[in-house]
Structures are given as C-alpha cells and as structure tokens.
C-alpha cells in the first residue's frame, strides 16, 4: 500500500512539473486581462528594456503593451508622428490616468524613435 501512495505522489508531482513548465514556456501575458498595478509594472519593465537601435514598429508595441492610455498624433509634410502614453507610475487614486503618470513613446512613420519625457517635448516641437 505504501508503494502505491509513493507511486501516485511521484506521478502527481511529475504531472505538476510538466504542467508548470508548459505554462511558463507558452503562456503569453495579456495586458487587457491585467489589473492596473500589474499592467503598470509590465509597461515599465518592457519600456526600460528598450534600446534605440531595435527598429520597433508601432504595431509591435500595441501587440505587446495593448492600447495606449493616451495618444496624440500629427503630420508634418509627408511624415506622420504619433506619441503614445503608457502608464508606468501611479501618482493619485482618482480613476484618471494623466500624462504625468505615463511614459510617452514617440513614433515617426510607424517606428519608435524616442521615449520618456524628452519624447513628448520632441513631439511638441515638431
């Protein structure tokens, strides 16, 4: 009887380990399903890992981070500029996300060219 119990425990632990490994390997985080605190931390982690030479497209950011909290766009000549704001720092529990709680990401013709406070200043100077 003791051998049966040990056998079931080992099988159960093995199945649990396989399931956990599959979840960790194949689970993709969905920002639409996250609470605001988790999404904010996810946004901050993603943005802090960016490098300027990655040629990141607008659609890739939307796919990874979801819809922006705020956005603005303008055209100058044949060039399109868009700044998207993703919340990365909670300041006030008022139910409203403001620009000062967000990190701006500036896109030129669909490609990320700057992020952070300087990105919004660049957008305004265009």
């Amino acid at each position: 009887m003791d051998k049966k119990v040990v056998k079931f425990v080992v099988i159960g632990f093995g199945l649990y380990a396989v399931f956990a490994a599959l979840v960790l390997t194949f689970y993709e985080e969905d920002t639409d399903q996250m609470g605001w605190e988790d999404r904010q931390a996810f946004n901050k982690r993603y943005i802090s890992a960016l490098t300027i030479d990655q040629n990141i497209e607008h659609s890739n950011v939307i796919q990874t981070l979801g819809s922006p909290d705020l956005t603005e766009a303008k055209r100058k000549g044949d060039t399109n500029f868009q700044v998207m704001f993703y919340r990365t720092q909670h300041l006030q529990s008022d139910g409203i996300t403001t620009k000062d709680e967000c990190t701006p990401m500036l896109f030129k013709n669909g490609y990320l060219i700057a992020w952070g406070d300087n990105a919004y200043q660049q957008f305004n100077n265009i």
Side-chain angles (χ1 to χ4, degrees), residues 15-66:
L15 289 173
Y16 174 78
V18 168
F19 177 74
L22 289 172
V23 168
L24 291 172
T25 303
F26 296 108
Y27 175 75
E28 291 186 27
E29 294 184 285
D30 182 6
T31 55
D32 291 335
Q33 302 300 320
M34 292 179 185
W36 70 267
E37 291 171 321
D38 292 335
R39 183 173 183 207
Q40 178 177 287
F42 181 78
N43 292 347
K44 190 172 192 172
R45 190 172 52 249
Y46 175 82
I47 292 169
S48 67
L50 294 174
T51 61
I52 200 69
D53 60 345
Q54 288 177 307
N55 278 339
I56 298 172
E57 292 186 42
H58 173 268
S59 59
N60 291 346
V61 172
I62 296 280
Q63 183 178 7
T64 304
L65 297 181

Side-chain angles (χ1 to χ4, degrees), residues 44-100:
K44 190 172 192 172
R45 190 172 52 249
Y46 175 82
I47 292 169
S48 67
L50 294 174
T51 61
I52 200 69
D53 60 345
Q54 288 177 307
N55 278 339
I56 298 172
E57 292 186 42
H58 173 268
S59 59
N60 291 346
V61 172
I62 296 280
Q63 183 178 7
T64 304
L65 297 181
S67 297
D69 294 291
L70 304 163
T71 188
E72 295 180 25
K74 62 173 91 171
R75 177 188 299 252
K76 183 172 184 180
D78 291 338
T79 307
N80 297 317
F81 294 94
Q82 182 176 9
V83 64
M84 299 190 312
F85 296 85
Y86 286 95
R87 187 158 85 183
T88 53
Q89 59 264 352
H90 175 74
L91 297 178
Q92 187 174 1
S93 293
D94 57 4
I96 300 170
T97 299
T98 57
K99 289 178 184 173
D100 61 340

